[in-house]
Amino acid sequence: MAGQLPTTEFDDIPDALLDELESLAHDRGEGQLGMVQLLDEDGHFNSGSHFSEHAKRLTSDELRGLYRDMATIRRFDAEATALQRQGQLALWVPVRGQEAAQIGSGRATRPEDYLFPTYREHGVALTRGVELGELLRLFRGVSNGGWDPRETNFHLYTLVLAAQVPHAVGYAMGIQRDAARAAAAGRDSGAQAVPSPAVVAYFGDGASSEGDIHESMVFAASFKSPVVFFCQNNQWAISVPTEVQSRIPLHHRAKGYGFPGLRVDGNDVLAVHAVTEWALARARSGKGPVLIEAYTYRQGAHTTADDPTKYRLSEEEQAWLVKDPIARFEKYLRAEGYADDAFFADVAAEGDALAAKSRKDVLAFEAPSLAEAMSHVYAERHPLVEEEIAWHLGYESGFADDESAKEGGH
Amino acid sequence: MPTMTLAKAINTGLRDALAADETVMLMGEDIGSLGGVYRVTEGLKAEFGGDRVIDSPLAESGIVGASIGLALRGYRPVDEIQFDGFVFPAFNQITTQLAKIHARSAGRLTVPVTIRIPYGGGIGSVEHHSESPEALFAHTAGVRIITPSNPHDGYWMTRRAIECEDPVIVFEPKRRYWLKGEVNTEEPGASADPFRAHVVREGTDATIVAYGPLVPVALAAAAAAAEDGRSVEVVDLRSLSPIDFDTVTASAEKTGRLVVAHEAPTFGGLGGEIAARVSERAFLSLEAPVIRVGGFHMPYPVAKVEGQYLPDIDRILEALDRAFAY
Ligand SMILES: Cc1ncc(C[n+]2csc(CCOP(=O)(O)OP(=O)(O)O)c2C)c(N)n1
Ligand SMILES: [Mg+2]
């Protein structure tokens, strides 16, 4: 089995794991998908996978934390959806259904890692410590960003599909150069090597078709850059199903580029956490990229402007509700005695408090000043921008006298 | 004559083109079952089938590049780019290939591809959904660019773009998709030639040139100016490449004052081209320099302040004031 993969590239991967990945690479009969799964739909733990050991290392606090994160982001998501319905947000991009894919992967990262989201990664934002209310600035129309990526190593949302993925590769190339420079300096000073960070690039099944994804994978493979490509296959790109983007499971593409790819049950937070941790560790150790396809489902609309009844059946939606990531994990936590009613009540109360706070934050956002936005167009002085700011301020204050007006209007 | 929205008029134009010529086909993201995010292609997949109304993979370079190949094979593809800000993955195909193949082949090959792009702001949306990138394409020889401001033009520009042997980009003013008007699908009348400008309001003291989403704004500004006793002519440019300089110059010569308004930034925008041409052609007839009204030299701003960025009636009136102050 293992011989089918270009093992010269993957010789760091133990045979047993390589065999497991290969056996999971192809779907089995009866609609059984080949994918890494540690918790089945009823919350039963599968201890037979290579990745089971990763999951077993999680403490009970960490396990409860994963649940808390998922429940919190779902509550926040509901509040943001409501805010949009009430006209307080221009748009909202719901994350419901993808909580395990996002919390599991985000929690597998370290503070020094850098993450490039698309626009739906609210759960990942939570794991990075981004103040959730800040996510709403973009959707309220008061900012095109909203948070300082330098504080959390969680990049700004990128709305042009796939455009952030080459950035992730370049960032990873920078990490490689940092490591080389630090090693060179360390030889001189005898200093300890700093832990090597890695990068995660998030994108969707739809975005996977963009040329930028191809170029990113070529670069990352060519330079063996420490980047994990994390594709949330939520089955839909607005109204277009994944089959239109790919005739083969998306993770198979990795092989063609020369790095490992795997599919994980994206509604299984333990499995997602385990495979992401593994891929990041591999990237950190200099073995290059991994493509993770997190197989999940967008339970709601594409955005609040979308109407999924136009293109998908409610039977499909119902079938996926059975696989809900949060319900599944709750069953597991209860069955294993990790959490009780009091814990779940606590989490719900915290979620409500966060929702209330976010709502308050949104209503308090100040409309930005156009002049200030103009002043951020360039890092250095720019005469045209200065002229236009002056004209704009004069115009808005109604003092645009004939003299300044003659210098150019807009 | 039926009354319909601009979106419906374009939809009808696409339907009639598909019915009239079996080499016409549509390609884009979410244009099939969903009917496009603005429902401009609604019902067309059901009527003409998935072979002719294609939900493409999510890749704009692929959409335009494949359309070029289809055109070389005798088809007339009509592409939808979902929003203005998402055309750029296809920029390479449009500017280096689509625009140049006819010239490169010394006139032997034609690539009659139509690209529909909803453009412009004023819809309170998020980044990349409100832009006016037309100047970037107008600067590229080999593609024609038109933009309807009303449903009748929406219908006929769609038909003419598809019939044209050259590649045509149709910039559709998305905030006017719901604007209603009469559409005569039998007789184009003055809309027969999509590359001619239209005088849409006659006047004697000044001219406003506008196109697409700003035509209704220019008309409202002219109406407001009339209350102050100023007779202002309004020209709907309609075609951005070529530009009908004859109509624009004739109007400027008649009124002596010209204001050009567009949502796109003034710097490097089409207003500058119009100002230069009219100055060259009609310098001695002008009472004032040509004055431009447009966006600032910045990325399109966030929704909460787009009202301060977009030219509105007051901004156009202020420009007229300056023209009259000379
Ligand atoms: C380059 C580009 N083209 C088109 C769009 C419009 N658009 C926004 S989201 C979307 C579907 C994306 O699907 P997918 O990548 O699967 O991500 P998901 O929304 O499912 O999370 C499209 C077509 C865009 N944002 N960027
Ligand atoms: Mg998707």
Side-chain angles (χ1 to χ4, degrees):
Chain A
M1 265 302 173
Q4 292 184 3
L5 289 163
T7 47
T8 48
E9 286 295 325
F10 308 149
D11 53 10
D12 64 295
I13 303 180
D15 281 353
L17 174 56
L18 212 50
D19 284 344
E20 180 181 344
L21 292 181
E22 189 61 12
S23 79
L24 291 175
H26 299 284
D27 298 343
R28 284 154 283 172
E30 293 144 35
Q32 281 282 88
L33 287 172
M35 59 185 176
V36 177
Q37 188 189 63
L38 298 180
L39 286 183
D40 69 14
E41 287 164 25
D42 299 318
H44 298 130
F45 187 72
N46 158 21
S47 47
S49 166
H50 167 90
F51 295 102
S52 310
E53 296 309 311
H54 283 258
K56 283 187 197 152
R57 281 200 292 273
L58 292 172
T59 66
S60 52
D61 268 351
E62 285 169 330
L63 290 169
R64 280 190 295 270
L66 292 174
Y67 179 89
R68 184 187 306 271
D69 288 350
M70 291 198 290
T72 302
I73 203 64
R74 179 166 292 189
R75 180 65 187 86
F76 172 79
D77 188 54
E79 193 69 15
T81 304
L83 280 164
Q84 197 283 334
R85 297 260 178 269
Q86 292 151 10
Q88 299 299 340
L89 298 179
L91 187 78
W92 180 243
V93 182
V95 66
R96 193 184 175 96
Q98 298 176 222
E99 293 90 349
Q102 299 200 359
I103 300 300
S105 60
R107 281 290 172 214
T109 64
R110 295 182 187 163
E112 67 270 20
D113 296 335
Y114 199 97
L115 287 70
F116 288 84
T118 301
Y119 46 65
R120 203 187 292 281
E121 276 65 64
H122 320 316
V124 185
L126 178 147
T127 69
R128 298 301 296 183
V130 175
E131 175 88 44
L132 288 182
E134 299 300 295
L135 296 176
L136 301 174
R137 288 185 190 276
L138 191 157
F139 299 98
R140 173 94 165 160
V142 298
S143 169
N144 283 334
W147 57 94
D148 184 346
R150 295 168 303 182
E151 287 170 3
T152 54
N153 280 2
F154 182 71
H155 198 64
L156 297 178
Y157 279 174
T158 300
L159 307 192
V160 178
L161 291 167
Q164 78 282 11
V165 181
H167 311 165
V169 176
Y171 198 96
M173 290 167 65
I175 288 171
Q176 290 175 296
R177 277 150 187 76
D178 284 354
R181 284 163 56 208
R187 271 199 301 277
D188 302 337
S189 69
Q192 280 277 311
V194 282
S196 196
V199 180
V200 187
Y202 287 90
F203 58 95
D205 48 297
S208 75
S209 293
E210 290 281 4
D212 272 354
I213 296 290
H214 170 68
E215 298 185 24
S216 300
M217 293 192 176
V218 168
F219 270 59
S222 186
F223 301 119
K224 282 199 160 186
S225 302
V227 56
V228 173
F229 296 108
F230 195 93
C231 177
Q232 288 170 84
N233 176 357
N234 64 4
Q235 314 302 323
W236 292 94
I238 311 188
S239 71
V240 179
T242 307
E243 301 84 79
V244 172
Q245 318 295 343
S246 183
R247 293 276 184 198
I248 54 160
L250 278 166
H251 67 101
H252 283 196
R253 288 185 180 169
K255 230 192 220 183
Y257 292 104
F259 52 85
L262 59 84
R263 178 153 65 192
V264 62
D265 183 339
N267 286 11
D268 170 356
V269 71
L270 293 183
V272 174
H273 188 275
V275 299
T276 312
E277 205 172 64
W278 171 78
L280 283 166
R282 188 176 182 278
R284 282 185 230 292
S285 69
K287 301 296 192 307
V290 172
L291 168 61
I292 296 173
E293 175 190 359
Y295 202 76
T296 181
Y297 194 69
R298 190 192 82 209
Q299 288 182 4
H302 169 70
T303 68
T304 47
D306 175 43
D307 173 11
T309 63
K310 291 246 172 201
Y311 53 82
R312 70 185 193 188
L313 299 171
S314 69
E315 288 84 73
E316 178 190 300
E317 297 179 353
Q318 292 308 317
W320 273 96
L321 285 185
V322 177
K323 305 176 207 268
D324 184 77
I326 299 185
R328 179 189 310 195
F329 198 50
E330 178 177 341
K331 282 183 209 155
Y332 170 75
L333 291 180
R334 283 187 188 274
E336 299 293 319
Y338 287 122
D340 54 13
D341 287 346
F343 167 77
F344 293 107
D346 258 11
V347 170
E350 280 172 34
D352 289 343
L354 172 78
K357 178 177 183 306
S358 305
R359 168 174 292 265
K360 229 176 98 209
D361 287 352
V362 164
L363 301 180
F365 287 157
E366 305 247 336
S369 131
L370 189 70
E372 197 198 326
M374 290 164 85
S375 76
H376 291 149
V377 176
Y378 292 94
E380 299 192 15
R381 289 189 60 182
H382 189 288
L384 175 62
V385 169
E386 287 171 8
E387 181 189 319
E388 292 195 351
I389 290 174
W391 186 89
H392 163 70
L393 292 174
Y395 176 83
E396 288 296 326
S397 62
F399 298 132
D401 63 29
D402 286 351
E403 270 317 295
S404 68
K406 265 181 209 153
E407 280 161 18
H410 297 277
Chain B
M1 243 190 295
T3 296
M4 59 181 87
T5 62
L6 174 63
K8 183 69 186 167
I10 297 168
N11 175 274
T12 308
L14 293 169
R15 172 178 286 111
D16 290 354
L18 283 159
D21 177 352
E22 63 185 23
T23 68
V24 173
M25 51 182 288
L26 314 188
M27 188 149 56
E29 293 157 7
D30 305 289
I31 66 166
S33 315
L34 187 65
V37 292
Y38 281 108
R39 307 293 186 264
V40 173
T41 54
E42 184 137 59
L44 300 180
K45 181 181 172 195
E47 192 171 339
F48 297 96
D51 263 0
R52 296 189 64 200
V53 180
I54 300 177
D55 270 327
S56 75
L58 208 169
E60 293 77 11
S61 181
I63 292 170
V64 175
S67 294
I68 293 172
L70 281 156
L72 291 171
R73 185 68 188 177
Y75 288 85
R76 300 187 101 80
V78 184
D79 298 339
E80 176 175 295
I81 298 293
Q82 202 162 80
F83 282 93
D84 34 63
F86 305 139
V87 66
F88 297 104
F91 197 66
N92 172 42
Q93 286 292 338
I94 295 172
T95 55
T96 73
Q97 303 304 314
L98 186 63
K100 293 186 169 72
I101 284 179
H102 189 65
R104 188 184 298 144
S105 67
R108 293 182 183 94
L109 301 176
T110 55
V111 275
V113 176
T114 300
I115 304 176
R116 302 179 32 247
I117 309 179
Y119 82 120
I123 58 160
S125 195
V126 292
E127 200 182 2
H128 315 294
H129 292 70
S130 304
E131 298 171 7
S132 297
E134 61 271 18
L136 297 174
F137 297 92
H139 198 63
T140 302
V143 285
R144 294 171 183 266
I145 301 170
I146 54 183
T147 177
S149 66
N150 58 74
H152 185 69
D153 264 355
Y155 177 86
W156 284 104
M157 284 191 180
T158 302
R159 297 298 307 271
R160 292 291 188 257
I162 296 169
E163 287 161 8
C164 184
E165 290 304 320
D166 291 317
V168 181
I169 300 178
V170 188
F171 278 104
E172 300 175 355
K174 66 173 91 78
R175 67 163 143 150
R176 306 293 176 207
Y177 271 143
W178 301 277
L179 180 92
K180 284 191 173 163
E182 287 191 340
V183 177
N184 186 341
T185 60
E186 306 291 323
E187 282 302 324
S191 294
D193 184 349
F195 305 112
R196 293 276 307 278
H198 284 168
V199 175
V200 289
R201 179 188 172 108
E202 304 244 11
T204 53
D205 303 336
T207 300
I208 307 169
V209 168
Y211 54 82
L214 285 193
V215 172
V217 180
L219 285 167
E227 287 174 19
D228 290 341
R230 287 170 176 167
S231 167
V232 176
E233 182 148 302
V234 178
V235 175
D236 178 353
L237 203 56
R238 300 177 75 245
S239 177
L240 309 183
S241 178
I243 286 176
D244 177 3
F245 288 113
D246 289 347
T247 299
V248 175
T249 309
S251 178
E253 278 173 336
K254 179 172 91 176
T255 64
R257 295 179 185 87
L258 183 60
V259 168
V260 187
H262 49 56
E263 291 187 13
T266 52
F267 183 76
L270 291 173
E273 179 60 33
I274 292 167
R277 294 274 167 171
V278 171
S279 303
E280 285 163 12
R281 290 181 172 206
F283 186 64
L284 294 179
S285 309
L286 293 178
E287 306 280 345
V290 179
I291 295 177
R292 293 168 295 161
V293 184
F296 298 101
H297 190 62
M298 67 184 300
Y300 192 88
V302 295
K304 281 281 185 240
V305 292
E306 68 179 334
Q308 292 172 45
Y309 173 93
L310 285 172
D312 57 8
I313 296 173
D314 286 336
R315 290 263 294 279
I316 294 177
L317 289 175
E318 189 272 346
L320 282 171
D321 281 347
R322 277 188 275 148
F324 281 108
Y326 271 88

